[in-house]
mmCIF file of all heavy atoms in Angstrom:
data_model
loop_
_atom_site.group_PDB
_atom_site.id
_atom_site.type_symbol
_atom_site.label_atom_id
_atom_site.label_comp_id
_atom_site.label_asym_id
_atom_site.label_seq_id
_atom_site.Cartn_x
_atom_site.Cartn_y
_atom_site.Cartn_z
ATOM 1 N N MET A 1 34.476 -35.253 -70.604
ATOM 2 C CA MET A 1 34.180 -36.689 -70.274
ATOM 3 C C MET A 1 33.651 -36.569 -68.735
ATOM 4 O O MET A 1 32.698 -37.280 -68.370
ATOM 5 C CB MET A 1 35.376 -37.546 -70.373
ATOM 6 C CG MET A 1 35.054 -39.028 -70.046
ATOM 7 S SD MET A 1 36.504 -40.098 -70.194
ATOM 8 C CE MET A 1 37.621 -39.380 -68.878
ATOM 9 N N CYS A 2 34.427 -35.866 -67.912
ATOM 10 C CA CYS A 2 33.989 -35.780 -66.484
ATOM 11 C C CYS A 2 32.558 -35.179 -66.320
ATOM 12 O O CYS A 2 31.810 -35.577 -65.556
ATOM 13 C CB CYS A 2 34.979 -34.908 -65.724
ATOM 14 S SG CYS A 2 36.610 -35.748 -65.455
ATOM 15 N N LEU A 3 32.286 -34.110 -67.177
ATOM 16 C CA LEU A 3 30.938 -33.545 -67.102
ATOM 17 C C LEU A 3 29.857 -34.536 -67.533
ATOM 18 O O LEU A 3 28.784 -34.516 -67.020
ATOM 19 C CB LEU A 3 30.943 -32.204 -67.967
ATOM 20 C CG LEU A 3 31.720 -31.076 -67.446
ATOM 21 C CD1 LEU A 3 31.676 -29.901 -68.489
ATOM 22 C CD2 LEU A 3 31.163 -30.572 -66.128
ATOM 23 N N LEU A 4 30.239 -35.289 -68.570
ATOM 24 C CA LEU A 4 29.220 -36.333 -69.028
ATOM 25 C C LEU A 4 28.988 -37.366 -67.878
ATOM 26 O O LEU A 4 27.809 -37.681 -67.703
ATOM 27 C CB LEU A 4 29.769 -37.044 -70.265
ATOM 28 C CG LEU A 4 29.726 -36.333 -71.608
ATOM 29 C CD1 LEU A 4 30.427 -37.103 -72.668
ATOM 30 C CD2 LEU A 4 28.195 -36.097 -72.007
ATOM 31 N N LEU A 5 30.011 -37.744 -67.261
ATOM 32 C CA LEU A 5 29.866 -38.683 -66.086
ATOM 33 C C LEU A 5 29.031 -38.093 -64.981
ATOM 34 O O LEU A 5 28.176 -38.699 -64.402
ATOM 35 C CB LEU A 5 31.172 -39.121 -65.549
ATOM 36 C CG LEU A 5 32.076 -40.027 -66.509
ATOM 37 C CD1 LEU A 5 33.466 -40.162 -65.911
ATOM 38 C CD2 LEU A 5 31.363 -41.247 -66.819
ATOM 39 N N ILE A 6 29.252 -36.813 -64.608
ATOM 40 C CA ILE A 6 28.461 -36.171 -63.701
ATOM 41 C C ILE A 6 26.982 -36.032 -64.071
ATOM 42 O O ILE A 6 26.075 -36.213 -63.231
ATOM 43 C CB ILE A 6 29.077 -34.780 -63.325
ATOM 44 C CG1 ILE A 6 30.465 -34.821 -62.645
ATOM 45 C CG2 ILE A 6 28.123 -34.008 -62.409
ATOM 46 C CD1 ILE A 6 31.250 -33.632 -62.545
ATOM 47 N N GLU A 7 26.766 -35.629 -65.282
ATOM 48 C CA GLU A 7 25.372 -35.519 -65.911
ATOM 49 C C GLU A 7 24.684 -36.829 -65.783
ATOM 50 O O GLU A 7 23.469 -36.835 -65.580
ATOM 51 C CB GLU A 7 25.398 -34.941 -67.213
ATOM 52 C CG GLU A 7 25.833 -33.444 -67.361
ATOM 53 C CD GLU A 7 24.759 -32.502 -66.918
ATOM 54 O OE1 GLU A 7 23.502 -32.761 -67.026
ATOM 55 O OE2 GLU A 7 25.110 -31.522 -66.276
ATOM 56 N N GLY A 8 25.375 -37.862 -66.028
ATOM 57 C CA GLY A 8 24.790 -39.197 -66.139
ATOM 58 C C GLY A 8 24.894 -39.996 -64.861
ATOM 59 O O GLY A 8 24.687 -41.293 -64.959
ATOM 60 N N ILE A 9 25.172 -39.437 -63.821
ATOM 61 C CA ILE A 9 25.399 -40.215 -62.586
ATOM 62 C C ILE A 9 24.075 -40.761 -62.048
ATOM 63 O O ILE A 9 24.108 -41.913 -61.357
ATOM 64 C CB ILE A 9 26.020 -39.191 -61.454
ATOM 65 C CG1 ILE A 9 26.598 -40.020 -60.401
ATOM 66 C CG2 ILE A 9 24.952 -38.250 -60.908
ATOM 67 C CD1 ILE A 9 27.505 -39.178 -59.422
ATOM 68 N N ASP A 10 22.990 -40.248 -62.387
ATOM 69 C CA ASP A 10 21.679 -40.699 -62.010
ATOM 70 C C ASP A 10 21.015 -41.636 -63.094
ATOM 71 O O ASP A 10 19.943 -42.039 -62.872
ATOM 72 C CB ASP A 10 20.702 -39.595 -61.520
ATOM 73 C CG ASP A 10 20.473 -38.650 -62.649
ATOM 74 O OD1 ASP A 10 21.304 -38.653 -63.591
ATOM 75 O OD2 ASP A 10 19.448 -37.914 -62.517
ATOM 76 N N LYS A 11 21.722 -41.814 -64.088
ATOM 77 C CA LYS A 11 21.231 -42.715 -65.235
ATOM 78 C C LYS A 11 21.663 -44.147 -65.124
ATOM 79 O O LYS A 11 22.862 -44.350 -64.643
ATOM 80 C CB LYS A 11 21.653 -42.109 -66.550
ATOM 81 C CG LYS A 11 21.276 -40.665 -66.832
ATOM 82 C CD LYS A 11 19.763 -40.545 -67.082
ATOM 83 C CE LYS A 11 19.463 -39.070 -67.429
ATOM 84 N NZ LYS A 11 18.075 -38.908 -67.691
ATOM 85 N N THR A 12 20.858 -45.053 -65.356
ATOM 86 C CA THR A 12 21.207 -46.501 -65.409
ATOM 87 C C THR A 12 21.765 -46.810 -66.741
ATOM 88 O O THR A 12 21.502 -46.102 -67.750
ATOM 89 C CB THR A 12 19.924 -47.295 -65.093
ATOM 90 O OG1 THR A 12 19.004 -47.143 -66.127
ATOM 91 C CG2 THR A 12 19.339 -46.952 -63.725
ATOM 92 N N PRO A 13 22.469 -47.931 -66.898
ATOM 93 C CA PRO A 13 22.962 -48.391 -68.180
ATOM 94 C C PRO A 13 21.866 -48.576 -69.181
ATOM 95 O O PRO A 13 22.070 -48.408 -70.409
ATOM 96 C CB PRO A 13 23.656 -49.709 -67.922
ATOM 97 C CG PRO A 13 24.089 -49.582 -66.423
ATOM 98 C CD PRO A 13 22.969 -48.758 -65.757
ATOM 99 N N GLU A 14 20.676 -49.032 -68.747
ATOM 100 C CA GLU A 14 19.541 -49.241 -69.602
ATOM 101 C C GLU A 14 19.095 -47.829 -70.179
ATOM 102 O O GLU A 14 18.727 -47.754 -71.385
ATOM 103 C CB GLU A 14 18.398 -49.914 -68.888
ATOM 104 C CG GLU A 14 18.617 -51.247 -68.503
ATOM 105 C CD GLU A 14 19.509 -51.442 -67.341
ATOM 106 O OE1 GLU A 14 19.766 -50.464 -66.549
ATOM 107 O OE2 GLU A 14 20.071 -52.565 -67.091
ATOM 108 N N ASP A 15 19.073 -46.780 -69.293
ATOM 109 C CA ASP A 15 18.762 -45.383 -69.792
ATOM 110 C C ASP A 15 19.752 -44.969 -70.928
ATOM 111 O O ASP A 15 19.348 -44.360 -71.897
ATOM 112 C CB ASP A 15 18.674 -44.431 -68.628
ATOM 113 C CG ASP A 15 17.590 -44.753 -67.678
ATOM 114 O OD1 ASP A 15 16.553 -45.297 -68.164
ATOM 115 O OD2 ASP A 15 17.674 -44.409 -66.497
ATOM 116 N N MET A 16 20.997 -45.223 -70.647
ATOM 117 C CA MET A 16 22.013 -44.687 -71.596
ATOM 118 C C MET A 16 21.930 -45.436 -72.917
ATOM 119 O O MET A 16 22.322 -44.906 -73.996
ATOM 120 C CB MET A 16 23.367 -44.864 -70.994
ATOM 121 C CG MET A 16 23.610 -43.981 -69.628
ATOM 122 S SD MET A 16 23.256 -42.285 -69.858
ATOM 123 C CE MET A 16 24.596 -41.850 -70.956
ATOM 124 N N SER A 17 21.689 -46.641 -72.931
ATOM 125 C CA SER A 17 21.538 -47.450 -74.118
ATOM 126 C C SER A 17 20.218 -47.453 -74.823
ATOM 127 O O SER A 17 19.984 -48.095 -75.820
ATOM 128 C CB SER A 17 21.904 -48.970 -73.876
ATOM 129 O OG SER A 17 21.116 -49.466 -72.916
ATOM 130 N N GLU A 18 19.266 -46.732 -74.195
ATOM 131 C CA GLU A 18 17.885 -46.665 -74.717
ATOM 132 C C GLU A 18 17.941 -46.003 -76.102
ATOM 133 O O GLU A 18 18.450 -44.952 -76.282
ATOM 134 C CB GLU A 18 16.979 -45.877 -73.788
ATOM 135 C CG GLU A 18 15.507 -45.777 -74.338
ATOM 136 C CD GLU A 18 14.729 -44.929 -73.339
ATOM 137 O OE1 GLU A 18 15.253 -44.342 -72.407
ATOM 138 O OE2 GLU A 18 13.448 -44.751 -73.663
ATOM 139 N N VAL A 19 17.273 -46.597 -77.075
ATOM 140 C CA VAL A 19 17.152 -45.989 -78.450
ATOM 141 C C VAL A 19 16.064 -45.058 -78.494
ATOM 142 O O VAL A 19 14.908 -45.333 -78.298
ATOM 143 C CB VAL A 19 16.954 -47.106 -79.543
ATOM 144 C CG1 VAL A 19 16.826 -46.479 -80.834
ATOM 145 C CG2 VAL A 19 18.181 -48.110 -79.473
ATOM 146 N N ILE A 20 16.351 -43.731 -78.826
ATOM 147 C CA ILE A 20 15.305 -42.676 -78.817
ATOM 148 C C ILE A 20 15.546 -41.864 -80.027
ATOM 149 O O ILE A 20 16.601 -41.748 -80.653
ATOM 150 C CB ILE A 20 15.459 -41.791 -77.595
ATOM 151 C CG1 ILE A 20 16.886 -41.295 -77.389
ATOM 152 C CG2 ILE A 20 14.963 -42.552 -76.330
ATOM 153 C CD1 ILE A 20 17.022 -40.350 -76.284
ATOM 154 N N PRO A 21 14.483 -41.138 -80.548
ATOM 155 C CA PRO A 21 14.648 -40.347 -81.770
ATOM 156 C C PRO A 21 15.374 -39.037 -81.425
ATOM 157 O O PRO A 21 15.959 -38.391 -82.379
ATOM 158 C CB PRO A 21 13.156 -39.922 -82.087
ATOM 159 C CG PRO A 21 12.411 -40.140 -80.794
ATOM 160 C CD PRO A 21 13.147 -41.223 -80.050
ATOM 161 N N SER A 22 15.386 -38.510 -80.219
ATOM 162 C CA SER A 22 16.181 -37.394 -79.747
ATOM 163 C C SER A 22 16.235 -37.410 -78.265
ATOM 164 O O SER A 22 15.634 -38.183 -77.650
ATOM 165 C CB SER A 22 15.465 -36.106 -80.305
ATOM 166 O OG SER A 22 16.245 -35.003 -79.931
ATOM 167 N N CYS A 23 17.008 -36.458 -77.698
ATOM 168 C CA CYS A 23 17.075 -36.404 -76.239
ATOM 169 C C CYS A 23 17.353 -34.951 -75.855
ATOM 170 O O CYS A 23 17.822 -34.120 -76.698
ATOM 171 C CB CYS A 23 18.195 -37.355 -75.736
ATOM 172 S SG CYS A 23 19.837 -36.762 -76.144
ATOM 173 N N SER A 24 17.069 -34.694 -74.615
ATOM 174 C CA SER A 24 17.322 -33.385 -74.107
ATOM 175 C C SER A 24 18.755 -33.088 -74.119
ATOM 176 O O SER A 24 19.600 -33.965 -73.947
ATOM 177 C CB SER A 24 16.722 -33.247 -72.633
ATOM 178 O OG SER A 24 17.416 -34.222 -71.876
ATOM 179 N N ILE A 25 19.141 -31.827 -74.304
ATOM 180 C CA ILE A 25 20.556 -31.422 -74.455
ATOM 181 C C ILE A 25 21.126 -31.495 -73.114
ATOM 182 O O ILE A 25 20.622 -31.109 -72.100
ATOM 183 C CB ILE A 25 20.595 -29.993 -75.008
ATOM 184 C CG1 ILE A 25 20.096 -29.980 -76.333
ATOM 185 C CG2 ILE A 25 22.069 -29.564 -75.003
ATOM 186 C CD1 ILE A 25 19.922 -28.581 -76.981
ATOM 187 N N VAL A 26 22.369 -32.114 -73.072
ATOM 188 C CA VAL A 26 23.043 -32.236 -71.814
ATOM 189 C C VAL A 26 23.846 -31.051 -71.502
ATOM 190 O O VAL A 26 23.850 -29.982 -72.139
ATOM 191 C CB VAL A 26 24.054 -33.552 -71.992
ATOM 192 C CG1 VAL A 26 23.239 -34.750 -72.028
ATOM 193 C CG2 VAL A 26 25.061 -33.363 -73.010
ATOM 194 N N PHE A 27 24.527 -31.077 -70.302
ATOM 195 C CA PHE A 27 25.332 -30.040 -69.770
ATOM 196 C C PHE A 27 24.465 -28.777 -69.455
ATOM 197 O O PHE A 27 24.850 -27.621 -69.592
ATOM 198 C CB PHE A 27 26.437 -29.448 -70.763
ATOM 199 C CG PHE A 27 27.483 -30.566 -70.989
ATOM 200 C CD1 PHE A 27 28.437 -30.358 -72.009
ATOM 201 C CD2 PHE A 27 27.559 -31.688 -70.398
ATOM 202 C CE1 PHE A 27 29.460 -31.272 -72.305
ATOM 203 C CE2 PHE A 27 28.541 -32.612 -70.528
ATOM 204 C CZ PHE A 27 29.444 -32.486 -71.523
ATOM 205 N N GLY A 28 23.232 -29.050 -69.026
ATOM 206 C CA GLY A 28 22.294 -28.022 -68.592
ATOM 207 C C GLY A 28 22.161 -27.907 -67.034
ATOM 208 O O GLY A 28 21.522 -27.036 -66.540
ATOM 209 N N GLY A 29 22.970 -28.772 -66.300
ATOM 210 C CA GLY A 29 22.882 -28.716 -64.910
ATOM 211 C C GLY A 29 23.734 -27.577 -64.299
ATOM 212 O O GLY A 29 24.487 -26.941 -65.011
ATOM 213 N N PRO A 30 23.491 -27.239 -63.022
ATOM 214 C CA PRO A 30 24.268 -26.092 -62.406
ATOM 215 C C PRO A 30 25.745 -26.218 -62.406
ATOM 216 O O PRO A 30 26.460 -25.239 -62.708
ATOM 217 C CB PRO A 30 23.669 -26.040 -60.981
ATOM 218 C CG PRO A 30 22.394 -26.824 -60.998
ATOM 219 C CD PRO A 30 22.565 -27.838 -62.138
ATOM 220 N N PHE A 31 26.231 -27.360 -62.220
ATOM 221 C CA PHE A 31 27.683 -27.611 -62.209
ATOM 222 C C PHE A 31 28.267 -27.279 -63.593
ATOM 223 O O PHE A 31 29.336 -26.633 -63.652
ATOM 224 C CB PHE A 31 28.034 -28.988 -61.675
ATOM 225 C CG PHE A 31 29.528 -29.266 -61.603
ATOM 226 C CD1 PHE A 31 30.236 -28.749 -60.582
ATOM 227 C CD2 PHE A 31 30.117 -30.005 -62.545
ATOM 228 C CE1 PHE A 31 31.617 -28.929 -60.594
ATOM 229 C CE2 PHE A 31 31.510 -30.207 -62.494
ATOM 230 C CZ PHE A 31 32.256 -29.661 -61.482
ATOM 231 N N ALA A 32 27.720 -27.916 -64.601
ATOM 232 C CA ALA A 32 28.225 -27.700 -65.983
ATOM 233 C C ALA A 32 28.136 -26.246 -66.398
ATOM 234 O O ALA A 32 29.036 -25.734 -67.029
ATOM 235 C CB ALA A 32 27.491 -28.663 -66.917
ATOM 236 N N ARG A 33 27.026 -25.591 -65.988
ATOM 237 C CA ARG A 33 26.868 -24.169 -66.376
ATOM 238 C C ARG A 33 27.920 -23.336 -65.642
ATOM 239 O O ARG A 33 28.427 -22.412 -66.219
ATOM 240 C CB ARG A 33 25.401 -23.737 -66.101
ATOM 241 C CG ARG A 33 24.386 -24.388 -67.015
ATOM 242 C CD ARG A 33 22.993 -24.040 -66.692
ATOM 243 N NE ARG A 33 22.745 -22.642 -66.348
ATOM 244 C CZ ARG A 33 22.256 -22.233 -65.162
ATOM 245 N NH1 ARG A 33 22.113 -23.057 -64.220
ATOM 246 N NH2 ARG A 33 22.140 -20.921 -64.969
ATOM 247 N N THR A 34 28.104 -23.596 -64.356
ATOM 248 C CA THR A 34 29.072 -22.803 -63.599
ATOM 249 C C THR A 34 30.458 -22.976 -64.181
ATOM 250 O O THR A 34 31.227 -22.025 -64.305
ATOM 251 C CB THR A 34 29.020 -23.301 -62.131
ATOM 252 O OG1 THR A 34 27.689 -23.130 -61.637
ATOM 253 C CG2 THR A 34 29.982 -22.448 -61.313
ATOM 254 N N MET A 35 30.826 -24.278 -64.466
ATOM 255 C CA MET A 35 32.175 -24.474 -65.088
ATOM 256 C C MET A 35 32.310 -23.741 -66.444
ATOM 257 O O MET A 35 33.425 -23.220 -66.731
ATOM 258 C CB MET A 35 32.308 -25.945 -65.297
ATOM 259 C CG MET A 35 32.467 -26.768 -64.058
ATOM 260 S SD MET A 35 33.990 -26.355 -63.116
ATOM 261 C CE MET A 35 35.328 -26.920 -64.188
ATOM 262 N N GLY A 36 31.267 -23.659 -67.259
ATOM 263 C CA GLY A 36 31.308 -23.025 -68.531
ATOM 264 C C GLY A 36 31.512 -21.575 -68.353
ATOM 265 O O GLY A 36 32.340 -20.940 -69.087
ATOM 266 N N ILE A 37 30.816 -20.957 -67.385
ATOM 267 C CA ILE A 37 30.974 -19.491 -67.080
ATOM 268 C C ILE A 37 32.363 -19.139 -66.587
ATOM 269 O O ILE A 37 32.962 -18.187 -67.071
ATOM 270 C CB ILE A 37 29.871 -19.071 -66.107
ATOM 271 C CG1 ILE A 37 28.494 -19.086 -66.697
ATOM 272 C CG2 ILE A 37 30.142 -17.598 -65.565
ATOM 273 C CD1 ILE A 37 27.415 -18.818 -65.742
ATOM 274 N N ILE A 38 32.838 -19.993 -65.670
ATOM 275 C CA ILE A 38 34.246 -19.768 -65.080
ATOM 276 C C ILE A 38 35.231 -19.848 -66.274
ATOM 277 O O ILE A 38 36.123 -18.987 -66.306
ATOM 278 C CB ILE A 38 34.475 -20.813 -64.042
ATOM 279 C CG1 ILE A 38 33.625 -20.518 -62.777
ATOM 280 C CG2 ILE A 38 35.990 -20.757 -63.633
ATOM 281 C CD1 ILE A 38 33.757 -21.540 -61.686
ATOM 282 N N LEU A 39 35.171 -20.820 -67.119
ATOM 283 C CA LEU A 39 36.088 -20.929 -68.201
ATOM 284 C C LEU A 39 36.120 -19.746 -69.136
ATOM 285 O O LEU A 39 37.150 -19.239 -69.500
ATOM 286 C CB LEU A 39 35.840 -22.226 -68.946
ATOM 287 C CG LEU A 39 36.759 -22.394 -70.193
ATOM 288 C CD1 LEU A 39 38.129 -22.703 -69.803
ATOM 289 C CD2 LEU A 39 36.255 -23.663 -71.044
ATOM 290 N N ILE A 40 34.909 -19.287 -69.551
ATOM 291 C CA ILE A 40 34.838 -18.124 -70.458
ATOM 292 C C ILE A 40 35.317 -16.931 -69.754
ATOM 293 O O ILE A 40 36.032 -16.106 -70.394
ATOM 294 C CB ILE A 40 33.365 -17.943 -70.884
ATOM 295 C CG1 ILE A 40 32.964 -19.199 -71.790
ATOM 296 C CG2 ILE A 40 33.161 -16.735 -71.715
ATOM 297 C CD1 ILE A 40 31.478 -19.205 -72.204
ATOM 298 N N LEU A 41 34.953 -16.657 -68.568
ATOM 299 C CA LEU A 41 35.513 -15.493 -67.825
ATOM 300 C C LEU A 41 36.924 -15.534 -67.602
ATOM 301 O O LEU A 41 37.625 -14.495 -67.729
ATOM 302 C CB LEU A 41 34.758 -15.376 -66.481
ATOM 303 C CG LEU A 41 33.258 -15.099 -66.493
ATOM 304 C CD1 LEU A 41 32.660 -15.015 -65.099
ATOM 305 C CD2 LEU A 41 33.008 -13.694 -67.214
ATOM 306 N N PHE A 42 37.493 -16.710 -67.330
ATOM 307 C CA PHE A 42 38.928 -16.838 -67.159
ATOM 308 C C PHE A 42 39.666 -16.567 -68.412
ATOM 309 O O PHE A 42 40.641 -15.735 -68.452
ATOM 310 C CB PHE A 42 39.268 -18.322 -66.721
ATOM 311 C CG PHE A 42 40.737 -18.494 -66.542
ATOM 312 C CD1 PHE A 42 41.478 -17.951 -65.624
ATOM 313 C CD2 PHE A 42 41.320 -19.488 -67.475
ATOM 314 C CE1 PHE A 42 42.877 -18.225 -65.490
ATOM 315 C CE2 PHE A 42 42.683 -19.720 -67.369
ATOM 316 C CZ PHE A 42 43.464 -19.184 -66.363
ATOM 317 N N LEU A 43 39.174 -17.158 -69.515
ATOM 318 C CA LEU A 43 39.903 -16.933 -70.868
ATOM 319 C C LEU A 43 39.675 -15.422 -71.269
ATOM 320 O O LEU A 43 40.660 -14.779 -71.839
ATOM 321 C CB LEU A 43 39.286 -17.845 -71.965
ATOM 322 C CG LEU A 43 39.551 -19.288 -71.707
ATOM 323 C CD1 LEU A 43 38.763 -20.123 -72.814
ATOM 324 C CD2 LEU A 43 40.971 -19.657 -71.618
ATOM 325 N N GLY A 44 38.502 -14.870 -71.047
ATOM 326 C CA GLY A 44 38.232 -13.543 -71.344
ATOM 327 C C GLY A 44 39.197 -12.550 -70.614
ATOM 328 O O GLY A 44 39.700 -11.541 -71.118
#
């Protein structure tokens, strides 16, 4: 949930409620990627 909020920090409510056929995949920002790498390395 926190990562979603960070990813959508520059989005307006209109952007989030916009009806679209598809959307770009989220969690592609540097912060989300870094957190993912840290988690996998930590568990590994």
Side-chain angles (χ1 to χ4, degrees):
M1 183 181 67
C2 290
L3 289 177
L4 283 174
L5 292 175
I6 293 172
E7 289 286 326
I9 197 169
D10 58 341
K11 303 288 184 182
T12 63
E14 290 76 16
D15 292 333
M16 298 303 294
S17 59
E18 179 184 3
V19 177
I20 53 177
S22 183
C23 71
S24 60
I25 298 174
V26 295
F27 294 172
F31 181 75
R33 290 171 50 237
T34 303
M35 291 296 293
I37 292 172
I38 291 174
L39 176 64
I40 294 175
L41 292 177
F42 175 69
L43 296 178

